[in-house]
Amino acid sequence: MSAYILRRLLYALPILIGVNLLTFVLFFVLNSPDEMARMQLGEKRVTPAVISNWKQEHGYDRPLLFNEKASGLAKVTDTIFFQRSVKLFAFDFGSSDDGRNIGYDISQRMWPSLAIAVPVLLVGFAIDISLALFIVFFRATYLDFGAVVLLVAMMSISGLFYIIGGQFLMSKMFHLVPISGYDIGIKAWKFMILPVIVGVVGGVGSGVRWYRTLFLEEVSKDYVRTARAKGLTERRVLFRHVFGNALIPILTGVVVVLPLLFMGSLITESFFGIPGLGSYTIDAISNQDFAIVHAMVFLGAVLYILGLLLTDISYTLVDPRVRLQ
Amino acid sequence: MFVVLAVLAALVLLLGGCGKVPWNDPYPEGLALSNTLYSSFDERPKHLDPVRSYSANEYAFLAQVYEPPLQYHFLLRPYQLVPLSASQVPIPRYFDAAGKPLPDDAPAEQIAYSDYLVQVRRGVRFQPHPAFARDGSGALRYHGLTAVDLRGINRLADFPYTGTRDLTAADFVHQTKRLAAPWLHSPIAGVMQEHILGFKELGERLTQAAKLDPVARVQALREARLDGVEVVDPASFRIRINGKYPQFAYWLAMPFFAPMPWEAELFYAQPGMKERNIVLDWYPVGTGPFMLTENNPNLRMVLTRNPNFWGETFPTQGMPGDAEAGLIKDASRPMPFVDQAVYSLEKEDIPRWNKFVQGYYDSSGISSDAFDQAVRIGGDGGPSLTDEMQTKGIELMTSVETSISYLGFNMRDQVVGGYSEQARLLRRAISIAVDYEEFISIFANGRGLIAQGPLPPGISGYQEGKGGINPYVYEWHDGRPVRRGIAEARALLEQAGYPGGRDPKTGRALSINYEAVATGPDDKSRLAWMRKQFEKLGIELVIRSTDYNRFQEKMQNGTGQVYMWGWNADYPDSENFFFLLYGPNGKVEHQGENASNYDNPEFNRLFDQMKFMENGPERQALIDQMMTIARRDAPWLWGFYPKAFSLHHQWLFNVNPNKMANNTLKYRRLDPVLRERLRTEWNPSVLWPLWAVLGIGAILVLPALWMVRRRERSTAL
Amino acid sequence: MMLVILWTDALVFLLLALAIGFALYASRHEHLRAPWRRVARSRVGLGALVVLGFYVLIGLLDTLHFRLPLADPAPGAAHAATERRFAPEVMSVFDYWARPLRQRQEKTYSAPFATHLFVKEAITQPDGSVVRDYPRLQYGGRHLKDPKQRGWDIFDTALRGQIEGLVVWGLITLLVLWGMARRRGLALLAMYAEVRDGRTDLPWRTALGGLALMLVLGFVAGELALKYHILGTDKVGEDVFFQALKSIRTGLVIGTLTTLVMLPAAVLLGVMAGYFRGWVDDIIQYLYTTLNAIPSVLLIAAAILMLQVYMANNADQFESLVERADLRLLFLCLILGVTSWTGLCRLLRGEALKLREADYVQAGAALGVGHFAILGRHIVPNVLHIVLTTLVLDFSGLVLAEAVLSYINIGVDPTMNSWGNMINSARLELARDPVVWWSLAAAFLFMFTLVLAANLFADVVRDAFDPRLRGTR
């Protein structure tokens, strides 16, 4: 097992290098260090001298990928790419183009993201599964058909509508919760209500439909028929057997997304003014702050790989037949 | 779904017992009655170091903390400089090349340099700050920190001891030297090189020091000598300027020249501070009425009253009408009046506006879409508040900004640029066709004043009435300017050689590129509108929209044809506007701010004369001549001067629009009791939807349970 | 008239040709025809198909672009009538057809069916005094002498539209019935009775019912739109109904072309990875894991910015706004394709892994058939159903994604009509008081209908093709 994990982690290295290279190329194909300097230095009275000064200060005066002037190994190492990427592997994110420490910012902004994402996941999980079981209970009736159409309809509504509508009703009309904002620590709870409700309601359509399919697949299996033949009630069959067995695909599906919860939600966070990693990323894109974008992409890739690994491991835990070699 | 509702209902009950605080109150409980002002900011400030900061959203914080030598009088108009951390406004003394004093009215050519002797105000002390903390032996406590000392320190507030000291002339000199330091990237270093004696040389000398580690850099800076700026005695210093530069006094009112204690700079430069984001760029150290106590640009910024403030008093003088408006009720009372100001990050317009209406922000601007809700334009064109706002007791302030938003032509372009009669006619035709009145009414809700030239009102040189109109675009009818008709524009276009908007060379419609910055949802309609204006002449407008960065680069390269841009005055002087059209300030060749690259020798000559003059009839005559030349050449569609409308609640006092002063927070006064009462009144929780949803849920769940039961029985068979 | 073929137009035509080709191919192969017959037999599927048909029709009309000839030769030009000149503006057949909607621009906001502007303006009275009031619209309800008659006028017009719609529907129904009756050798009336009672093999009753609904709705809307702005006007006075209709093409193009452009790569790489295994598999897996690991929003943002740079540097190549917007749309499809092909690729790899062990593939390999022949003859045709279901399932997700991307300003060109852009500008309108709700409502309505129909259709298609699910339905 540990050998397997080690091998997978080694396998992650080329992927991370590839991700780094791709991010780098994409960012600098369109964006010269000159432009980044201009963006950071503000609007008025920016002269070329100031710009070259800034580039030197932030290490953007090196060539991008290949240094012809240097000799030997320095041809590759004395470049922006190398200088910027290597430290990432040690999770040293350096400082952003406007001078803030990125690692510090990430450690601060991670919690608001989690504070929204985790409740959405848990509450959504509970609601989706109970509704799906309810629908499966009535499978092949008009109730089932109607519910599926309703779910599809809910899926067909753009997520933006849920957010806009939620803010309009809950905050503007009924004065129930603050429209937007956030606070540190326990005081944050009243700001979380609306984003969590919006997140859960927005996910009901696809979530319930997905679980319904899983349960239906399970229901058609032989052991269910046996259980029923034994005289168990339908409710027992569903809750004890079908639910229990469907948990395997459900859980492994959830494990993949667990690490990515850290990344937050781009749209929700910027609409509700939540200072999480999602809005951090969006701001970095619009400010063309390469250092932050780079760090966030790297972090995303690491978490993604971690998710894949966790999935594999969770398979072995829930299903003894699967073995990792 | 029902689980959510059940949780909500539980919360509702829980909250119900919590007292009378409105549920949608975004602030922590228990602060309702504190003397705290609430406001918002929409973009996180990038720099809070006065050497680098150069934008309004940063000044909102910075100007409350740092005190430059001078400031603008809060109430008097036209804008007038009064002392702040200096004890009086310095009067320049002129010298010729031999160092002989010259009289004040000496001609500008004779003046080799001018001296500004600044007297430092006595009894001013810096805010409490760990950089000044001293231990028992009198040594600075937090200088020379090691990694061990920094353990457990994450914010500035984690340092237990603070100290203070008196302001001296050396602090001003230190800051001026910082402006020259190449590693600090001051945006005005380029400008100051031209004016302050020895500034450029200092910058060059310091390039070596730039490679040193941060602590050594600060030391190098302390030891470096700036020829033009010297400490005379602890209470005064002298700045020496090349030639004559009357506008220099205005620079002394900007945070760039605020005093900076070397202890603070050295304190922040220590190793280990940057990793904790404890840097001078984030934690300002000033003498002002407030200090930044919470600095979390991702969430909120909090300014708290500086206990060491020197006790500036509210001005006693005002303009006629100010007394009636209750603006000098607080005259001679020591400022500041509020204990704290909380600025929350608010990126989206909608939540910000709604929170203001609910009473959670004390003041607010008006976004274009909220305008109809707030303001009614009366029959005479004057604005007044809507009934909804009036019943809430909200008050409206309007003022014309000292800025201009214009549509410029690139004068280097083959088609729209150049100084031939043909090009001039083309530009004039477009000037008439683009109906800025409509633009203002659609996109700015009437919050703008049509510009007849580059000078906005409030700047000396601006002319009102018939004499002040641009005769190429406007006629004077019945006591007001009327835009010339579209038929006239078409005729001009035909004279220019484009009959019906068609280019005779290609036979196709003349096509002009419009360099646009498109970022928001509003831009689409704006671009469509602009296209419609050119269509009136049969010209096809090709819109090339990019982000602001790319736009700047295009301007730098001079490849655009038509573009829209604006200028916000640095100081209230006509020079600060005319220099946007001054040839040697061209964007492409000289990297200046003249984005149109307009270069008319006669205009340049007049500008060179006018910039050294004091305001008066002589200067007015030159300004009029320059205005005539610029209007004839039409390098810009003069566009409009934006008008600022701002709203504030009835519990906020001493609000007076001052477009030049940024340090206005100290004048504000609050009535927290009234605010608390009204907030509760305005935000009753509406509970019926909650019960309704719960009720519907129950109605749905019960039959479902019944159905489950029934189905169970039937399938069990 | 000069035909203009934009990049996306060409690809849409290609897609159309492919679809027709596939239909012909499928109709001759029983194993492909059977699932489609199952689709057609489903009432939901057929109903959704009718709705989709209307969307596709409008989308296609909006895809035929041309430039109108200029009516008058330029006065004073030396070479007058010898050479025909064309207006610079690129129009589509739909633009031309919906001229009345396009050209009737008001000054600013007006509510649906309004006769007056939504905001007050200073109006100069005949006696010279100035009053602030809601001015009459220039076009909407202009024909009414007295705005109070509006209710009856709307009723009349709607009735007329309804009758027209029913007449057209009657004709079509008659034609269909007649055709069916002839083929089946039945009398027309007997055929009618069969359809009415739902006894036909295909659910014709549903199809014709759906058609009736759509036709009546279409005609009523059309008639009313000639007299009013039935969904109001936006900030610069453009008809919102027209915008919503124009957005159909954008939505369809994004939903379909994205899958089309990613298809070759996904199919080829997926199948190759599964078939060859070994180092080919490793490389391809590495490729898609790496791509997957980058958050897609960042990838899209970077690509769109890159395109903007390209367009800024090569501004001369783009003669008109339409071309620029079109290229951006195409690019968006491409980049969305790049971010979404990995899922399909992985599915196909798994399927190919299974198929390569099948007897006929093994036999082919033993007989010395080339690898690529095996891939082309045995593997690819056997994974086509997966491709098809993915294509249909992805469609609605992509339409929704467009809206979200426009919010972060990395969607389609801001000058292009799209639901995303409509929603994006409507965000601010909701903050107005009184609320300007119609832009949002229009975008919602049109998008919802399309996505709902597509989702329902996708469900039916998946069920029809997926052998595992067949039993449960």
Side-chain angles (χ1 to χ4, degrees):
Chain A
M1 180 90 148
S2 53
Y4 172 81
I5 293 177
L6 196 72
R7 206 157 50 90
R8 283 294 296 260
L9 287 180
L10 279 180
Y11 181 62
L13 268 183
I15 293 181
L16 288 178
I17 293 175
V19 167
N20 258 328
L21 195 66
L22 204 62
T23 329
F24 188 81
V25 169
L26 270 178
F27 200 88
F28 279 101
V29 158
L30 60 101
N31 216 340
S32 65
D34 280 35
E35 272 175 59
M36 293 163 58
R38 204 167 289 141
M39 190 85 184
Q40 294 304 325
L41 288 169
E43 299 170 8
K44 282 179 171 178
R45 304 185 201 275
V46 176
T47 56
V50 179
I51 289 178
S52 69
N53 206 331
W54 183 90
K55 284 197 307 194
Q56 198 184 358
E57 167 112 357
H58 287 79
Y60 286 118
D61 55 342
R62 298 191 179 88
L64 291 176
L65 278 172
F66 188 76
N67 194 344
E68 284 184 6
K69 288 186 198 119
S71 58
L73 202 60
K75 270 191 196 300
V76 185
T77 55
D78 196 21
T79 56
I80 300 182
F81 175 67
F82 191 82
Q83 298 290 334
R84 289 253 151 199
S85 303
V86 170
K87 281 186 190 159
L88 286 182
F89 283 92
F91 290 93
D92 172 10
F93 297 114
S95 62
S96 68
D97 292 343
D98 60 3
R100 300 256 309 172
N101 189 296
I102 297 177
Y104 179 81
D105 268 358
I106 289 180
S107 71
Q108 293 294 304
R109 291 188 149 229
M110 192 170 81
W111 303 110
S113 283
L114 284 178
I116 304 296
V118 171
V120 168
L121 185 83
L122 292 181
V123 178
F125 196 60
I127 291 180
D128 291 359
I129 285 191
S130 32
L131 283 181
L133 277 175
F134 182 75
I135 292 172
V136 168
F137 190 83
F138 288 97
R139 65 189 170 279
T141 63
Y142 273 101
L143 192 79
D144 181 25
F145 178 75
V148 170
V149 173
L150 191 72
L151 292 176
V152 173
M154 284 186 76
M155 273 172 71
S156 308
I157 298 171
S158 168
L160 294 174
F161 285 105
Y162 288 115
I163 298 178
I164 296 175
Q167 284 188 337
F168 189 75
L169 287 180
M170 296 272 288
S171 309
K172 198 179 170 196
M173 303 290 286
F174 303 142
H175 308 298
L176 289 176
V177 287
I179 288 181
S180 69
Y182 198 73
D183 208 334
I184 296 160
I186 193 74
K187 285 175 279 182
W189 68 271
K190 63 180 166 186
F191 299 99
M192 283 161 50
I193 297 176
L194 190 55
V196 169
I197 291 182
V198 166
V200 168
V201 172
V204 158
S206 54
V208 175
R209 211 162 79 115
W210 163 243
Y211 292 129
R212 172 183 167 271
T213 325
L214 282 183
F215 291 144
L216 276 183
E217 221 165 276
E218 211 60 36
V219 163
S220 62
K221 286 190 178 152
D222 289 339
Y223 73 89
V224 177
R225 213 168 301 155
T226 322
R228 230 179 261 147
K230 279 198 318 194
L232 291 182
T233 62
E234 181 72 17
R235 227 183 320 169
R236 266 213 125 138
V237 171
L238 267 187
F239 282 95
R240 181 73 55 81
H241 297 277
V242 172
F243 178 65
N245 280 300
L247 260 182
I248 297 175
I250 292 175
L251 281 184
T252 45
V254 170
V255 167
V256 183
V257 299
L258 274 183
L260 288 174
L261 290 183
F262 283 93
M263 302 290 285
S265 150
L266 300 176
I267 307 293
T268 314
E269 285 184 10
S270 45
F271 254 98
F272 289 105
I274 294 161
L277 289 176
S279 50
Y280 190 51
T281 316
I282 291 248
D283 288 355
I285 294 178
S286 57
N287 291 333
Q288 309 198 355
D289 194 322
F290 173 68
I292 298 178
V293 173
H294 199 185
M296 288 307 289
V297 169
F298 183 82
L299 195 65
V302 169
L303 292 173
Y304 174 80
I305 292 168
L306 197 68
L308 291 183
L309 186 65
L310 281 180
T311 319
D312 284 354
I313 295 173
S314 65
Y315 263 122
T316 60
L317 293 182
V318 292
D319 190 346
R321 282 170 304 174
V322 182
R323 197 153 302 154
L324 302 173
Q325 335 136 358
Chain B
M1 181 91 78
F2 305 124
V3 179
V4 177
L5 293 171
V7 168
L8 246 183
L11 285 176
V12 166
L13 296 175
L14 200 104
L15 260 174
C18 280
K20 289 276 170 259
V21 184
W23 291 4
N24 57 358
D25 187 347
Y27 305 115
E29 275 171 51
L31 292 180
L33 287 173
S34 67
N35 188 8
T36 304
L37 184 133
Y38 291 104
S39 186
S40 65
F41 64 105
D42 64 348
E43 200 183 334
R44 78 178 207 183
K46 279 186 184 155
H47 303 290
L48 293 176
D49 185 340
V51 135
R52 288 198 65 175
S53 170
Y54 202 0
S55 76
N57 65 345
E58 293 159 2
Y59 281 174
F61 305 109
L62 212 57
Q64 325 305 333
V65 177
Y66 285 108
E67 288 184 313
L70 306 178
Q71 65 177 339
Y72 291 94
H73 193 280
F74 183 50
L75 298 171
L76 293 182
R77 300 289 179 281
Y79 294 109
Q80 194 177 326
L81 288 173
V82 290
L84 184 58
S85 59
S87 59
Q88 55 204 353
V89 180
I91 295 160
R93 294 175 54 211
Y94 304 116
F95 298 90
D96 67 8
K100 273 198 308 207
L102 291 168
D104 286 353
D105 55 355
E109 309 87 70
Q110 284 183 21
I111 299 176
Y113 54 89
S114 1
D115 271 1
Y116 289 75
L117 185 70
V118 184
Q119 304 285 345
V120 178
R121 184 181 291 275
R122 287 178 194 267
V124 177
R125 282 183 305 156
F126 283 101
Q127 67 176 72
H129 193 276
F132 303 118
R134 289 179 186 272
D135 53 19
S137 66
L140 287 166
R141 186 183 281 272
Y142 295 122
H143 285 242
L145 292 175
T146 59
V148 182
D149 297 332
L150 283 172
R151 206 169 286 157
I153 301 248
N154 284 312
R155 297 168 304 150
L156 191 63
D158 293 336
F159 290 101
Y161 295 95
T162 60
T164 183
R165 76 160 165 80
D166 284 337
L167 174 71
T168 68
D171 300 320
F172 290 91
V173 177
H174 185 68
Q175 171 72 356
T176 320
K177 286 194 282 188
R178 294 183 77 229
L179 290 173
W183 59 87
L184 287 169
H185 312 294
S186 177
I188 62 162
V191 187
M192 287 306 135
Q193 270 177 19
E194 293 165 24
H195 298 301
I196 298 180
L197 203 72
F199 193 90
K200 193 171 182 182
E201 291 73 22
L202 177 66
E204 282 160 6
R205 262 181 284 143
L206 286 173
T207 40
Q208 289 306 315
K211 296 189 180 72
L212 299 172
D213 70 274
V215 175
R217 280 200 303 214
V218 179
Q219 295 293 6
L221 192 63
R222 280 189 73 195
E223 285 153 18
R225 195 187 132 72
L226 175 54
D227 296 339
V229 185
E230 57 181 345
V231 178
V232 177
D233 58 67
S236 60
F237 65 100
R238 183 188 295 119
I239 303 180
R240 186 158 283 189
I241 299 291
N242 288 320
K244 185 181 181 184
Y245 183 44
Q247 288 81 20
F248 186 72
Y250 295 119
W251 285 107
L252 290 180
M254 296 173 79
F256 292 116
F257 286 91
M260 174 65 69
W262 62 268
E263 291 96 329
E265 201 179 10
L266 204 57
F267 169 78
Y268 287 118
Q270 297 178 83
M273 294 296 220
K274 195 168 167 46
E275 286 70 26
R276 290 166 172 80
N277 278 339
I278 304 180
V279 289
L280 186 52
D281 213 10
W282 281 104
Y283 291 99
V285 189
T287 58
F290 293 93
M291 50 191 196
L292 193 64
T293 43
E294 187 177 342
N295 180 352
N296 184 353
N298 307 326
L299 193 57
R300 63 169 167 247
M301 311 281 273
V302 178
L303 292 170
T304 311
R305 179 197 287 268
N306 171 10
N308 295 344
F309 188 53
W310 52 275
E312 186 184 4
T313 52
F314 198 88
T316 48
Q317 257 184 312
M319 298 299 284
D322 283 352
E324 291 74 31
L327 280 172
I328 42 183
K329 238 188 220 164
D330 289 315
S332 316
R333 285 185 54 198
M335 300 189 288
F337 301 118
V338 298
D339 294 334
Q340 213 175 42
V342 175
Y343 296 80
S344 312
L345 178 67
E346 201 73 81
K347 288 201 161 159
E348 298 279 328
D349 263 354
I350 303 171
R352 190 184 47 74
W353 171 249
N354 284 332
K355 279 188 190 167
F356 170 70
V357 175
Q358 291 172 346
Y360 295 119
Y361 289 133
D362 298 324
S363 58
S364 165
I366 314 176
S367 74
S368 172
D369 284 271
F371 192 81
D372 291 340
Q373 186 183 355
V375 178
R376 221 171 21 202
I377 303 288
D380 55 348
S384 62
L385 285 168
T386 55
D387 298 339
E388 189 200 345
M389 296 292 122
Q390 274 175 7
T391 47
K392 289 201 155 185
I394 291 171
E395 283 155 54
L396 171 73
M397 286 282 159
T398 68
S399 62
V400 180
E401 309 223 26
T402 48
S403 58
I404 182 166
S405 163
Y406 60 89
L407 193 75
F409 296 102
N410 180 6
M411 294 299 280
R412 297 165 64 92
D413 186 73
Q414 296 294 325
V415 181
V416 299
Y419 303 89
S420 66
E421 193 57 26
Q422 194 199 13
R424 225 174 255 152
L425 288 171
L426 171 64
R427 289 197 294 268
R428 235 175 259 163
I430 295 173
S431 302
I432 296 175
V434 178
D435 187 352
Y436 255 103
E437 281 85 351
E438 195 178 290
F439 184 91
I440 294 174
S441 97
I442 294 181
F443 298 105
N445 301 99
R447 283 175 291 176
L449 182 73
I450 288 287
Q452 303 284 354
L455 281 192
I459 306 284
S460 63
Y462 172 79
Q463 278 211 12
E464 248 176 291
K466 191 176 176 184
I469 67 165
N470 178 1
Y472 297 102
V473 180
Y474 285 90
E475 289 168 305
W476 191 259
H477 267 307
D478 309 329
R480 62 196 188 91
V482 178
R483 186 174 281 275
R484 288 171 186 269
I486 190 72
E488 203 168 322
R490 291 202 181 108
L492 286 174
L493 196 65
E494 186 152 356
Q495 284 175 42
Y498 304 101
R502 234 162 275 166
D503 188 348
K505 273 177 258 163
T506 60
R508 291 179 56 166
L510 177 62
S511 139
I512 292 180
N513 292 328
Y514 176 55
E515 305 301 337
V517 181
T519 47
D522 229 15
D523 291 324
K524 187 188 169 213
S525 39
R526 197 172 304 201
L527 296 178
W529 180 87
M530 195 53 86
R531 219 165 48 229
K532 238 163 63 180
Q533 304 307 306
F534 281 73
E535 249 164 42
K536 286 193 228 160
L537 293 174
I539 299 175
E540 191 198 18
L541 193 69
V542 180
I543 290 167
R544 305 205 279 190
S545 65
T546 41
D547 52 303
Y548 188 64
N549 228 351
R550 179 78 41 193
F551 170 77
Q552 279 180 299
E553 189 173 310
K554 278 183 186 170
M555 290 292 110
Q556 194 80 66
N557 297 334
T559 50
Q561 285 188 297
V562 182
Y563 64 94
M564 195 186 271
W565 218 347
W567 178 257
N568 213 336
D570 290 315
Y571 41 79
D573 191 79
S574 48
E575 183 261 358
N576 200 239
F577 284 91
F578 276 120
F579 93 119
L580 297 172
L581 293 171
Y582 181 52
N585 196 20
K587 189 120 219 156
V588 174
E589 278 176 30
H590 312 278
Q591 282 90 37
E593 297 297 334
N594 176 358
S596 276
N597 304 297
Y598 177 64
D599 191 4
N600 182 321
E602 178 65 10
F603 184 92
N604 295 345
R605 193 183 60 80
L606 291 169
F607 178 81
D608 282 334
Q609 273 185 357
M610 162 282 228
K611 74 176 171 193
F612 293 122
M613 294 167 98
E614 306 288 332
N615 287 326
E618 259 177 83
R619 200 178 195 207
Q620 185 67 49
L622 286 185
I623 287 175
D624 289 346
Q625 276 184 52
M626 291 168 74
M627 204 71 107
T628 311
I629 296 171
R631 282 173 181 154
R632 196 187 62 224
D633 282 341
W636 293 358
L637 267 68
W638 304 105
F640 66 100
Y641 316 119
K643 269 189 205 164
F645 280 32
S646 75
L647 300 174
H648 61 269
H649 285 292
Q650 49 182 302
W651 55 75
L652 187 67
F653 304 97
N654 299 337
V655 182
N656 185 41
N658 186 325
K659 292 297 137 198
M660 295 316 300
N662 295 304
N663 57 351
T664 50
L665 180 61
K666 60 186 176 192
Y667 303 106
R668 304 277 186 267
R669 189 164 49 82
L670 275 175
D671 181 351
V673 181
L674 179 65
R675 174 169 70 186
E676 166 60 10
R677 189 169 57 77
L678 290 176
R679 271 190 192 168
T680 320
E681 207 170 281
W682 290 343
N683 293 295
S685 310
V686 183
L687 286 185
W688 64 262
L690 219 65
W691 304 131
V693 173
L694 275 180
I696 292 172
I699 291 171
L700 286 179
V701 165
L702 291 178
L705 285 178
W706 175 73
M707 274 159 68
V708 167
R709 209 38 75 69
R710 213 182 66 151
R711 187 175 158 84
E712 198 130 78
R713 266 184 236 128
S714 63
T715 47
L717 295 176
Chain C
M1 200 154 54
M2 188 169 92
L3 210 61
V4 177
I5 297 186
L6 303 170
W7 274 101
T8 51
D9 294 350
L11 284 173
V12 168
F13 294 140
L14 178 70
L15 183 70
L16 205 63
L18 279 178
I20 292 171
F22 180 74
L24 287 176
Y25 177 79
S27 67
R28 270 187 261 121
H29 292 79
E30 178 54 29
H31 70 281
L32 286 173
R33 205 161 53 162
W36 282 112
R37 205 176 295 135
R38 271 198 292 280
V39 172
R41 274 201 203 116
S42 139
R43 275 182 303 159
V44 177
L46 209 59
L49 205 57
V50 171
V51 175
L52 285 179
F54 271 81
Y55 272 85
V56 171
L57 186 71
I58 292 176
L60 283 179
L61 282 180
D62 205 6
T63 299
L64 291 166
H65 286 102
F66 60 87
R67 273 166 45 188
L68 279 179
L70 279 181
D72 56 322
H79 37 269
T82 47
E83 177 192 345
R84 290 189 69 191
R85 300 223 185 77
F86 297 94
E89 189 188 14
V90 177
M91 290 225 289
S92 70
V93 173
F94 176 76
D95 285 334
Y96 189 75
W97 181 57
R99 257 170 327 182
L101 286 180
R102 194 165 61 101
Q103 287 164 353
R104 295 184 317 160
Q105 259 197 13
E106 307 293 348
K107 195 162 176 200
T108 182
Y109 291 116
S110 67
F113 293 107
T115 53
H116 291 82
L117 220 52
F118 190 65
V119 288
K120 281 188 179 171
E121 275 195 350
I123 307 170
T124 317
Q125 298 290 89
D127 59 0
S129 64
V130 178
V131 195
R132 282 201 64 89
D133 201 358
Y134 302 105
R136 274 295 284 268
L137 293 180
Q138 283 174 29
Y139 300 100
R142 189 84 227 168
H143 60 288
L144 297 175
K145 280 211 186 66
D146 178 9
K148 288 195 195 85
Q149 306 158 343
R150 191 177 60 158
W152 280 112
D153 186 63
I154 292 172
F155 184 74
D156 280 354
T157 318
L159 203 65
R160 194 161 66 234
Q162 200 175 340
I163 291 166
E164 283 168 0
L166 283 177
V167 168
V168 173
W169 176 74
L171 289 176
I172 294 175
T173 308
L174 214 60
L175 212 68
V176 169
L177 283 181
W178 181 73
M180 282 182 8
R182 242 180 72 139
R183 214 168 57 184
R184 304 257 299 265
L186 283 171
L188 199 59
L189 269 180
M191 194 66 232
Y192 168 70
E194 275 206 0
V195 169
R196 185 193 56 198
D197 301 341
R199 274 180 283 137
T200 43
D201 187 22
L202 299 178
W204 277 105
R205 192 173 54 169
T206 315
L208 290 173
L211 189 68
L213 189 73
M214 291 305 287
L215 278 174
V216 167
L217 271 181
F219 270 93
V220 169
E223 281 289 339
L224 284 171
L226 288 177
K227 293 182 175 174
Y228 300 94
H229 299 288
I230 57 172
L231 290 174
T233 55
D234 73 351
K235 191 165 189 169
V236 283
E238 272 188 45
D239 192 289
V240 172
F241 183 51
F242 177 71
Q243 285 182 351
L245 286 175
K246 281 286 283 182
S247 305
I248 288 177
R249 175 175 185 270
T250 316
L252 288 178
V253 163
I254 288 194
T256 54
L257 285 195
T258 302
T259 350
L260 182 77
V261 294
M262 73 164 185
L263 214 51
V267 171
L268 194 71
L269 292 180
V271 167
M272 269 170 58
Y275 180 76
F276 289 114
R277 304 204 290 202
W279 61 271
V280 179
D281 190 19
D282 283 343
I283 290 182
I284 293 172
Q285 276 201 60
Y286 170 72
L287 200 67
Y288 70 61
T289 320
T290 307
L291 270 179
N292 253 0
I294 300 182
S296 55
V297 176
L298 295 176
L299 209 62
I300 295 169
I304 289 295
L305 286 171
M306 201 159 78
L307 178 76
Q308 284 185 354
V309 176
Y310 174 79
M311 291 208 287
N313 295 342
N314 301 284
D316 313 337
Q317 290 177 20
F318 309 101
E319 291 200 337
S320 61
L321 275 176
V322 178
E323 281 172 45
R324 288 166 58 89
D326 181 74
L327 198 76
R328 178 152 172 180
L329 177 64
L330 179 69
F331 208 75
L332 189 67
C333 291
L334 269 175
I335 195 69
L336 276 172
V338 168
T339 57
S340 62
W341 67 278
T342 50
L344 179 62
C345 190
R346 196 178 341 190
L347 272 182
L348 291 180
R349 174 178 166 271
E351 196 65 20
L353 270 176
K354 262 187 263 167
L355 281 175
R356 85 186 290 274
E357 306 297 337
D359 296 338
Y360 55 94
V361 176
Q362 297 285 338
L367 287 174
V369 181
H371 285 311
F372 284 92
I374 291 180
L375 278 182
R377 207 166 305 149
H378 297 300
I379 309 243
V380 172
N382 279 308
V383 297
L384 268 189
H385 69 278
I386 297 186
V387 175
L388 201 72
T389 33
T390 320
L391 211 141
V392 185
L393 282 173
D394 279 356
F395 175 82
S396 50
L398 289 167
V399 174
L400 291 177
E402 188 266 325
V404 173
L405 291 181
S406 294
Y407 166 74
I408 354 183
N409 270 317
I410 51 174
V412 296
D413 196 87
T415 59
M416 186 165 225
N417 285 304
S418 85
W419 293 313
N421 280 338
M422 283 172 78
I423 295 172
N424 201 10
S425 32
R427 276 193 303 140
L428 300 178
E429 291 165 4
L430 270 194
R432 295 177 76 106
D433 200 35
V435 175
V436 173
W437 48 270
W438 44 90
S439 278
L440 191 72
F444 176 76
L445 187 74
F446 275 78
M447 199 156 99
F448 178 72
T449 315
L450 176 64
V451 174
L452 184 62
N455 270 333
L456 291 174
F457 185 67
D459 264 8
V460 174
V461 169
R462 193 190 45 193
D463 291 354
F465 276 94
D466 193 337
R468 282 182 309 162
L469 287 174
R470 220 169 281 160
T472 58
R473 275 255 164 181

